[in-house]
Amino acid sequence: MSKNAIIAGLVVFVATALFPFWFNIGGSNAAPEIELSERAKAARYCVLEKYDMRAEHMSLLDEWRDSVVRDADRLYKGTNGKSFNMSLSTGEDSCLGCHTDKEKFCDRCHNFVSVAPYCWECHTTPEEVTR
Amino acid sequence: MIHSRRSFIKAAGVSVLAIGAAPAIKAVAASGSGAASLPSKTRRPEAFSAKRWGMAIDCRRMNGDIAGNIVKACRKANNVPDFSHKPDEDKYPGLRPPKKDQELKWIWEESYHHAFPEMEDEFLADKFKSMPFLVTCNHCKNAPCVQACPTRATFKREDGVVMMDFHRCIGCRFCMAACPFGARSFNFRDPKPFIPEINPDFPTRSKGVVEKCNLCAGRLAKGLQPACVEASEGTIVVGDLEDPGSEIRALLKENYAIRRKQELGTEPSVYYIM
């Protein structure tokens, strides 16, 4: 008797439940193109392997800052045999010393995944200083 | 082929030996190639180190000009804002004017009667009345701020430096209440507009954290003297208080020196040579 009402209700329910899926159909979800700076291209190596960097750079930075500020150890020798002065943005072998264009590298990826590290409230980017 | 018990036991023995030797062989092979070792974190070879850092300020040779240069050098090296600086109108439009009593200070000039209030005397020699006394964090041996900090953002390094980990500071200001020397300042607002020229070698701070002198820990780690020492024309010496052969110990041995509020028992590491 109320078969039609039930079916209509089901249709509405299924449509609502699947909203996230059909809403995103057709949208462009391609990962952003990140650009390596000239300096990084020339160096060809990062602190860890590329995929480890992608997955672990936040905890690497966390380790670095504890080491520098709390243990006074500032020199990092990586598994790739390279040494780095552990720093987010001071000096040529810091993250931003090599990845010189923060907007085209860090920010592009972060914007895509909606993370906004608060580090830049204090740490200065090289462009900010020269501007 | 006939398998005797004897040959079976021989073969088994050799196999066990081989398995047992594998780790040793691997270790030898790895030490040869070296590249794939674990990451390490160490001091830089050029870093200055000490058992307990201390500072001696020679008040006999200090004057207003030198003191002014020292304060300026400290501000510059550590990105300490200067509230007398006029912010760039284009970059920071519509800022409210700064309040003088919210100033940020790492090292600054004080009169005798503020620096040594318990040593005031009716008949104090005139020369002390006009002398500038530079005051800063005393990097106390028994630092009350360290005990007050609920997040361990302020802590005592092994080498005696009382450090701040800005990443952990929650801005509760217990440390400011605990410090008997007023050596700490709170960022009531974003300090960046008031930094005339940002030094890229040191991060700035943000609204809501406390800050103070860190004895230029970053410069010491690079084998550089603290910025105040560099600007002091020899009136400030920073060195190892626990090393009897150090320059600072020689100075303290030969001259009369006092410390601020010694009676409180915090054991300041900053000495004033009178």
Side-chain angles (χ1 to χ4, degrees), chain B residues 8-134:
Chain B
F8 172 77
I9 291 174
K10 263 195 207 158
V14 169
S15 318
V16 168
L17 260 183
I19 293 168
I25 292 169
K26 266 192 203 149
V28 170
S31 71
S33 66
S37 52
L38 284 172
S40 69
K41 302 193 189 79
T42 51
R43 309 275 137 111
R44 281 195 245 165
E46 69 273 24
F48 287 149
S49 62
K51 279 220 189 69
R52 180 155 80 92
W53 286 107
M55 179 186 283
I57 303 178
D58 192 339
C59 303
R60 299 165 305 184
R61 288 164 51 213
M62 184 61 69
N63 60 41
D65 288 346
I66 301 180
N69 287 342
I70 290 171
V71 173
K72 233 188 263 153
C74 172
R75 282 189 190 285
K76 190 151 190 251
N78 296 301
N79 286 325
V80 181
D82 177 358
F83 279 2
S84 64
H85 172 73
K86 256 190 106 44
D88 183 346
E89 268 294 327
D90 300 335
K91 217 166 153 190
Y92 306 101
L95 281 183
R96 68 190 148 83
K99 294 206 177 85
K100 178 81 178 137
D101 58 356
Q102 297 182 348
E103 225 180 2
L104 290 115
K105 301 181 284 194
W106 284 31
I107 188 167
W108 69 102
E109 281 177 49
E110 257 336 335
S111 62
Y112 182 90
H113 109 119
H114 280 132
F116 305 101
E118 74 291 351
M119 286 193 262
E120 273 254 72
D121 194 290
E122 208 182 329
F123 309 114
L124 181 72
D126 276 345
K127 64 170 181 184
F128 293 123
K129 289 185 187 151
S130 56
M131 252 186 200
F133 289 90
L134 284 174

Side-chain angles (χ1 to χ4, degrees), chain B residues 185-213:
Chain B
S185 324
F186 183 68
N187 284 282
F188 283 93
R189 56 189 301 165
D190 182 12
K192 274 176 274 306
F194 300 97
I195 305 175
E197 200 185 323
I198 289 184
N199 169 11
D201 292 335
F202 196 76
T204 61
R205 268 74 62 195
S206 62
K207 179 177 166 180
V209 297
V210 172
E211 63 182 70
K212 68 163 198 82
C213 157

Side-chain angles (χ1 to χ4, degrees), chain A:
Chain A
M1 72 198 157
S2 52
K3 193 170 146 203
N4 286 346
I6 292 173
I7 287 179
L10 267 177
V11 167
V12 169
F13 170 75
V14 169
T16 323
L18 295 180
F19 170 78
F21 296 96
W22 56 257
F23 184 75
N24 276 327
I25 289 175
S28 142
N29 288 333
E33 286 284 319
I34 50 175
E35 279 174 41
L36 275 184
S37 67
E38 289 307 316
R39 194 176 293 159
K41 270 188 210 149
R44 301 224 304 279
Y45 57 85
C46 192
V47 181
L48 308 170
E49 293 298 319
K50 179 169 161 182
Y51 295 103
D52 290 339
M53 269 330 269
R54 242 182 233 180
E56 307 286 351
H57 64 276
M58 341 53 205
S59 47
L60 179 77
L61 279 167
D62 197 28
E63 253 182 62
W64 276 20
R65 71 183 187 187
D66 273 355
S67 172
V68 167
V69 179
R70 305 192 80 88
D71 306 332
D73 287 337
R74 291 180 182 244
L75 195 65
Y76 180 91
K77 192 148 183 249
T79 43
N80 56 7
K82 308 283 185 202
S83 291
F84 300 88
N85 169 36
M86 286 183 258
S87 176
L88 182 54
S89 62
T90 64
E92 301 231 320
D93 53 354
S94 65
C95 308
L96 288 195
C98 197
H99 297 293
T100 46
D101 198 338
K102 174 167 160 285
E103 263 134 55
K104 291 195 182 128
F105 190 76
C106 319
D107 292 356
R108 238 180 233 181
C109 192
H110 288 166
N111 290 344
F112 176 67
V113 294
S114 305
V115 279
Y118 74 118
C119 322
W120 315 111
E121 286 176 17
C122 298
H123 289 266
T124 49
T125 60
E127 309 108 79
E128 186 181 43
V129 172
T130 48
R131 209 187 288 145

